[in-house]
Amino acid sequence: MGRVTSDTTATDAAAQHAPEPPGAPPVWQRRLRRFGFPARPQTDVRARLVPAFPEPSGRLWAVFGAGPDAAARLTRWSGWLGPLLVALFAGVLRFWNLGSPRKVIFDETYYPKDAWSLLQYGYEGTWAKNANDALVGHPPQLLLSPEHSYVVHPPMGKWLIAVGEGLFGMNPFGWRFMVALLGTLSVLLVCRIGRRLMRSTTLGCLAGALLAVDGLHFVMSRTALLDLIVMFWVVAAFGCLLVDRDRTRGRLAGALPVGPDGVARPDESVGDRLRLGWRPWRIAAGLSLGLATATKWNGLYYLAAFALMAVLWDVAARRTAGARRPFRSALRRDALPAFGATVVVALATYLASWSGWIATKGGYYRDWATSPEGRTGAWTWLPDWLRSLWHYQTEVYNFHTGLTTPHTYQSNPWSWLVLGRPVSYFYEDPKVGQDGCTAAEGCAREVLALGTPLLWWAACFALLYVLYRWLFKRDWRAGAIVCGVAAGYLPWFLYQERTIFLFYAVVFVPFLCLALATMLGAIVGPPGSTERRRTVGAVGAGVLVLLIAWNFIYFYPLYTGMPIPKSAWHHRMWFDTWV
């Protein structure tokens, strides 16, 4: 034993008070090892930052008779092939007989006509009172005048509807075309988002398939309203943020030092100081959120929620990479660029959506700034168009917050998840021999904005499951799904006195489907489970999915306005509040 000197004593003391190296286990874990508790294996931080996609198996394709080479190619393409097949299925459902009913149904009395007016004048004109009947008459008539009309929603969604009208004419197929296309593409996006979120092509395709057979999403995809357009841009923004998350975490992982064993370790300098550089996917998310807000203002809630979520993702990434003060590092290096890429880009996109109104002189309130009222105030140095637009926005805000006129189909958001009060968009009761009715008792034709009941009721349990995963398992994927639901659902509780409807919920339906797919994946069982466990779980999950599909088929006549016997219609009214 060597002699103890003052130098060795100082060295030992310094070692005791030296800071722990990044990635070292906490003190309480090191103390537990004295009592026989094994240490957790050192994992490569790169795998924690960007988990790899599991290598898919080619056994499925071999079952269908594909050779080894063909099975390998199909397996490589499955990440796109599966989602495209699900989207094709959704597209066939949505475009089949899209022009029926050949009527102006529910709020189609507003948006298709405004869209056509934008094509003609660049702003919303005025239609005659009998314009709806004239549009679907023989021959159809367009009773439009250039006199401006007061509208309470931004123009972006109506410009998109106008694309279909410009291609196919001012008829039901034309004004529903773009909404059906976006509804189909949203299914594709959910498949790909679910695949990236859960690292499973199967679960991603399952989430998309659930969305394809949801009745509310289906009806909204076949009706020229604005809410499904908002939903599409929200889903697109969510997908862009997921890609940005993986790419920026990949940059952090690539900058980490690698030890002699080939395992990357956390590093304080990388976690705290590395700049994440150009982030085009975050800018694309800001653009998408701006387009959502430029369609309806509830996109603002998603802008706020997703911007905050993206910054928190950066904080978590820096912590995993070894940052000592991840919040401070993210605020210093990520928060301002995130604000510019989301909020600033979204605001610029919103302003650009008003280009038609700005470039013309006939729009509502367009010349307000030059009126006697508009010439006064402290902001007269701003451009006239900007002051006129701001005044228009304040008037629209007052309209929305003061909208309390009772409506037959209004509903409280407390009842949305259980489908308490769906909205009837169209109803007729043809007699035998009319409109395809063959029942002696007479028929009913209805387009009912009702979610597939079994899907929504199962999604209620799925929401509880992802809340549990987020709060108690710290699963960021569950937290992202919860954020998507909360941003589209919770704000409506602030407007208890306002006239609101169940179909507003379509904006968060994709996140319900992602939650349900997550729960079904848990029912099947995690990788490494016994074969018996996986078999029982797969059977249980499969039975639930088949029941949801059957439920959609059962209500299909109510989603499409098909004539069915009155008795069959009554059988589908499961609750009095559905009538």
Side-chain angles (χ1 to χ4, degrees):
M1 181 174 176
R3 185 167 56 93
V4 177
T5 65
S6 59
D7 291 338
T8 57
T9 304
T11 303
D12 291 343
Q16 290 177 2
H17 296 285
E20 297 292 341
V27 174
W28 65 270
Q29 285 189 8
R30 297 200 301 272
R31 288 175 178 170
L32 283 176
R33 294 178 190 174
R34 302 175 186 173
F35 300 95
F37 288 91
R40 290 189 302 178
Q42 289 289 334
T43 59
D44 195 323
V45 181
R46 292 172 297 189
R48 291 172 54 200
L49 283 169
V50 188
F53 283 89
E55 196 66 32
S57 171
R59 288 182 298 176
L60 176 64
W61 302 109
V63 170
F64 289 102
D69 292 339
R73 285 195 298 271
L74 290 170
T75 300
R76 285 196 302 272
W77 298 340
S78 61
W80 275 105
L81 185 60
L84 286 172
L85 289 174
V86 175
L88 177 62
F89 166 72
V92 170
L93 284 176
R94 280 149 181 77
F95 280 97
W96 184 265
N97 205 17
L98 181 61
S100 176
R102 186 177 169 76
K103 302 282 186 179
V104 177
I105 64 174
F106 199 60
D107 278 357
E108 285 187 341
T109 190
Y110 302 116
Y111 311 122
K113 292 189 291 188
D114 287 344
W116 184 262
S117 180
L118 289 174
L119 281 179
Q120 309 307 311
Y121 310 125
Y123 61 89
E124 292 87 346
T126 300
W127 292 78
K129 290 184 178 180
N130 60 333
N132 289 354
D133 294 332
L135 283 173
V136 294
H138 300 282
Q141 293 179 295
L142 303 175
L143 306 180
L144 172 65
S145 71
E147 177 67 23
H148 58 231
S149 63
Y150 179 55
V151 295
V152 294
H153 291 299
M156 189 63 235
K158 290 169 281 189
W159 277 114
L160 287 173
I161 293 172
V163 173
E165 294 174 344
L167 292 173
F168 302 103
M170 186 59 173
N171 55 69
F173 182 87
W175 66 61
R176 295 169 189 162
F177 174 81
M178 282 302 296
V179 184
L181 179 61
L182 295 181
T184 302
L185 292 177
S186 67
V187 172
L188 176 62
L189 287 177
V190 168
C191 290
R192 293 288 298 175
I193 286 169
R195 179 180 184 270
R196 182 175 290 273
L197 192 67
M198 294 177 271
R199 290 301 195 263
S200 168
T201 300
T202 301
L203 291 180
C205 289
L206 176 59
L210 291 170
L211 186 62
V213 297
D214 173 62
L216 183 60
H217 185 275
F218 178 74
V219 170
M220 297 298 288
S221 298
R222 292 169 55 88
T223 312
L225 272 63
L226 301 179
D227 300 85
L228 185 125
I229 300 175
V230 177
M231 182 275 304
F232 173 81
W233 292 120
V234 165
V235 171
F238 186 75
C240 290
L241 289 176
L242 279 180
V243 177
D244 173 75
R245 182 184 186 276
D246 279 354
R247 293 200 170 193
T248 52
R249 291 170 76 92
R251 288 184 192 141
L252 285 168
L256 291 174
V258 179
D261 55 357
V263 176
R265 300 286 192 268
D267 184 85
E268 181 179 348
S269 62
V270 172
D272 275 326
R273 299 184 181 88
L274 183 70
R275 296 190 179 277
L276 298 178
W278 174 248
R279 302 175 71 166
W281 285 101
R282 180 170 280 184
I283 295 174
L287 176 64
S288 297
L289 291 167
L291 291 170
T293 306
T295 302
K296 286 186 78 171
W297 281 2
N298 54 328
L300 282 170
Y301 296 115
Y302 276 100
L303 174 61
F306 283 1
L308 177 61
M309 180 179 70
V311 172
L312 292 178
W313 282 353
D314 287 344
V315 172
R318 290 188 177 278
R319 180 187 293 114
T320 303
R324 290 288 184 179
R325 298 177 179 85
F327 277 96
R328 190 175 74 173
S329 299
L331 287 175
R332 290 178 60 184
R333 289 177 170 79
D334 304 324
L336 186 60
F339 180 84
T342 53
V343 177
V344 175
V345 169
L347 177 61
T349 303
Y350 182 84
L351 286 175
S353 73
W354 286 89
S355 297
W357 183 89
I358 295 169
T360 58
K361 291 295 184 182
Y364 204 86
Y365 280 133
R366 178 62 183 84
D367 296 323
W368 175 86
T370 59
S371 68
E373 181 187 0
R375 291 194 187 101
T376 61
W379 302 95
T380 54
W381 54 273
L382 290 173
D384 288 345
W385 67 265
L386 184 57
R387 291 193 296 121
S388 295
L389 182 61
W390 178 256
H391 178 72
Y392 196 171
Q393 307 307 295
T394 57
E395 291 297 310
V396 168
Y397 176 79
N398 292 333
F399 169 84
H400 284 304
T401 55
L403 182 60
T404 57
T405 305
H407 192 283
T408 304
Y409 291 104
Q410 72 182 68
S411 59
N412 191 283
W414 286 107
S415 69
W416 287 0
L417 290 179
V418 294
L419 303 174
R421 183 58 171 164
V423 183
S424 180
Y425 287 176
F426 166 80
Y427 181 85
E428 285 184 348
D429 50 356
K431 307 301 180 184
V432 60
Q434 298 177 350
D435 293 334
C437 178
T438 58
E441 62 181 300
C443 295
R445 294 184 65 200
E446 185 171 26
V447 176
L448 186 65
L450 171 71
T452 304
L454 291 185
L455 190 158
W456 281 65
W457 297 339
C460 292
F461 294 96
L463 279 179
L464 294 176
Y465 174 71
V466 293
L467 274 170
Y468 159 76
R469 293 287 309 176
W470 176 47
L471 294 174
F472 297 101
K473 298 294 185 180
R474 306 297 297 273
D475 188 339
W476 72 270
R477 300 167 301 175
I481 294 171
V482 170
C483 178
V485 175
Y489 184 38
L490 297 183
W492 293 110
F493 287 92
L494 301 174
Y495 305 101
Q496 293 287 310
E497 302 302 322
R498 190 185 184 277
T499 307
I500 54 179
F501 302 91
L502 170 65
F503 67 81
Y504 295 171
V506 72
V507 71
F508 62 80
V509 168
F511 299 98
L512 293 183
C513 294
L514 288 168
L516 185 52
T518 302
M519 186 181 75
L520 290 170
I523 291 173
V524 173
S529 301
T530 64
E531 184 174 350
R532 178 182 177 82
R533 165 71 178 83
R534 301 273 284 185
T535 301
V536 173
V539 169
V543 168
L544 179 56
V545 171
L546 289 175
L547 287 173
I548 290 171
W550 163 83
N551 206 210
F552 173 77
I553 294 170
Y554 180 72
F555 284 98
Y556 183 82
L558 297 187
Y559 299 145
T560 57
M562 291 174 56
I564 57 175
K566 277 284 188 68
S567 57
W569 178 84
H570 281 290
H571 290 158
R572 287 165 172 80
M573 295 295 105
W574 287 359
F575 302 99
D576 292 340
T577 56
W578 289 9
V579 179

